[in-house]
Amino acid sequence: MTAAQIADALSEEDLERHFEQVIARDQRIEPRDWMPEGYRNTMIRQIAQHAHSEIIGMQPEGNWITRAPSLRRKAILLAKVQDEAGHGLYLYSAAETLGTDRTDLTERLITGRQKYSSIFNYPTLSFADVGVIGWLVDGAAICNQVPLCRSSYGPYARAMIRICKEESFHQRQGYELLMTMMKGTAEQRELVQDAVNRWWWPSLMMFGPPDADSPNTARSMAWKIKRHTNDELRQRFVDMTVPQAEALGVGLPDPELKWNPARGHYDFGEIDWAEFKRVVSGDGPCNAERVAHRARTHSEGAWVREAAAAHAAKQRKEAEAA
Ligand code: FAQ
């Protein structure tokens, strides 16, 4: 009997029981395994949103490539932005293993039917923003994504291993840039402080709504897609980042930020959830610009996709003839 024949002979309950056992044993669900539709749809949603975030996330820093202050900084920034493109590609490939199509996912992004991370809807006003994105945004991304290396869906978890390695380089280059600026002139230090003031709260929003308002967390934790809740990871990020800010010599714009010895964590102020909702629903400072840019580059790239498809068809024909 083939694997497909065995699957056909099993009832829906048998398949579901097997799926639950794989999850309970901390093993991986692979593309050809049976999975509940809810699991498939959750994975498609999360992986697609993640892929879109990487691709849209190239824009804020890409804005500074032509104006980087030295050849060294330009080479680092180019490499980083190219890495984000690569992450988007691995993730679209992982989403395709679930039966979706990248063209369709891109269409959903540019018509506003799928989300991407709120963080990329803020402007990059100075070169210090490049450093702060590396330090805070990539720092938050690592905090969120390292546990995803143990996510239950095999292709996603494996993609995440390489992505996290590259994100670590991104975080370090950001921190090193900020260290350099903080050792520079008073004006440079002011640029860093201004960028930190603008990016701190949006970075905390990256972890998603508070647990009490997160419709997907309970289900995704039960399926071991997510390994920690949004609030747990947000707290981990704050605890990790405060000492780094002290080492840099920058302040964090939260008067309520304070070590709480009883909890063994930093307490922090209330996030502006109304702003988060506004940005996620499309009304942030740069949403329209980001999506319009993505739509334009997608249509300008049509000839590349057509040429690649024609080349693949030609090769297929030649192989068949041979
Ligand atoms: N922005 O029920 P939950 C990066 C949505 S990559 C926009 O808590 P869930 C690298 C959420 O999707 C950054 N939407 O959802 C880089 C859900 O949507 P629905 C991206 C958000 O999935 C660095 C609804 O709200 N990382 O930074 C946001 O359990 C520098 C309800 O939320 C990932 O995607 C948000 N911040 O938890 C690139 C990581 N938060 O159902 C360039 C993978 C939530 O209404 C430069 N994703 N939503 O359609 C995850 O870990 C999870 O999906 C969460 C959300 C934690 C983001």
Side-chain angles (χ1 to χ4, degrees):
M1 256 187 164
T2 65
Q5 285 167 330
I6 294 171
D8 283 347
L10 292 172
S11 69
E12 182 100 355
E13 287 86 69
D14 292 332
L15 292 166
E16 183 133 20
R17 198 171 323 115
H18 178 70
F19 171 85
E20 294 296 347
Q21 279 168 0
V22 171
I23 299 283
R25 286 191 209 118
D26 259 335
Q27 290 168 339
R28 294 275 159 79
I29 303 297
E30 295 298 338
R32 290 186 186 182
D33 293 344
W34 182 92
M35 61 187 90
E37 272 315 283
Y39 180 90
R40 186 183 297 277
N41 292 335
T42 300
M43 280 320 316
I44 292 173
R45 174 186 61 79
Q46 179 164 328
I47 301 175
Q49 284 178 0
H50 194 165
H52 298 329
S53 303
E54 299 281 359
I55 298 295
I56 294 271
M58 295 164 72
Q59 292 184 40
E61 291 164 283
N63 177 35
W64 281 93
I65 290 174
T66 54
R67 291 172 291 155
S70 69
L71 181 60
R72 177 170 176 267
R73 292 292 171 200
K74 186 167 177 150
I76 294 171
L77 186 54
L78 264 175
K80 179 184 192 286
V81 173
Q82 280 181 352
D83 282 354
E84 312 298 359
H87 298 174
L89 299 189
Y90 313 145
L91 289 165
Y92 282 126
S93 298
E96 285 188 327
T97 65
L98 290 154
T100 57
D101 173 67
R102 185 176 150 191
T103 312
D104 177 48
L105 296 178
T106 302
E107 203 58 42
R108 282 166 191 253
L109 168 69
I110 59 190
T111 51
R113 284 175 293 147
Q114 264 178 353
K115 299 186 173 81
Y116 59 91
S117 182
S118 50
I119 192 74
F120 303 116
N121 293 306
Y122 293 86
T124 39
L125 304 182
S126 81
F127 200 73
D129 289 44
V130 169
V132 171
I133 290 177
W135 175 41
L136 295 181
V137 177
D138 285 280
I142 293 168
C143 216
N144 168 260
Q145 290 170 27
V146 165
L148 293 174
C149 298
R150 292 186 297 115
S151 182
S152 57
Y153 188 57
Y156 188 44
R158 288 189 288 274
M160 214 49 65
I161 294 171
R162 176 158 176 188
I163 290 178
C164 284
K165 285 189 178 150
E166 292 177 349
E167 300 291 22
S168 302
F169 150 68
H170 298 172
Q171 201 264 358
R172 294 300 291 268
Q173 67 80 35
Y175 199 73
E176 191 263 347
L177 166 57
L178 296 180
M179 265 296 181
T180 308
M181 290 186 77
M182 290 305 286
K183 286 183 196 145
T185 62
E187 199 185 353
Q188 284 176 307
R189 281 191 289 278
E190 267 168 40
L191 288 176
V192 174
Q193 187 61 61
D194 173 63
V196 171
N197 293 348
R198 286 181 287 106
W199 289 93
W200 173 249
W201 291 106
S203 299
L204 297 189
M205 294 175 195
M206 283 176 74
F207 294 92
D211 294 349
D213 299 328
S214 164
N216 301 303
T217 293
R219 193 62 272 186
S220 288
M221 298 273 287
W223 276 330
K224 297 186 182 167
I225 294 171
K226 284 167 82 163
R227 296 290 183 152
H228 304 280
T229 71
N230 300 352
D231 287 333
E232 283 166 8
L233 292 174
R234 193 171 3 252
Q235 181 72 62
R236 187 179 286 184
F237 174 69
V238 172
D239 292 346
M240 186 181 97
T241 308
V242 174
Q244 295 172 359
E246 282 163 7
L248 265 180
V250 291
L252 294 171
D254 179 359
E256 290 173 50
L257 190 66
K258 198 167 147 229
W259 178 250
N260 180 332
R263 289 202 313 122
H265 293 291
Y266 283 92
D267 289 337
F268 54 96
E270 180 66 15
I271 292 169
D272 183 349
W273 292 114
E275 174 180 323
F276 172 74
K277 283 189 189 138
R278 235 180 6 256
V279 176
V280 172
S281 64
D283 199 17
C286 300
N287 294 60
E289 181 186 327
R290 300 287 186 241
V291 175
H293 183 79
R294 181 71 196 97
R296 192 167 57 248
T297 53
H298 185 62
S299 92
E300 284 170 5
W303 69 271
V304 180
R305 295 190 294 278
E306 278 161 27
H311 180 67
K314 191 172 143 197
Q315 283 198 320
R316 220 173 16 249
K317 241 187 192 163
E318 281 172 8
E320 275 164 18

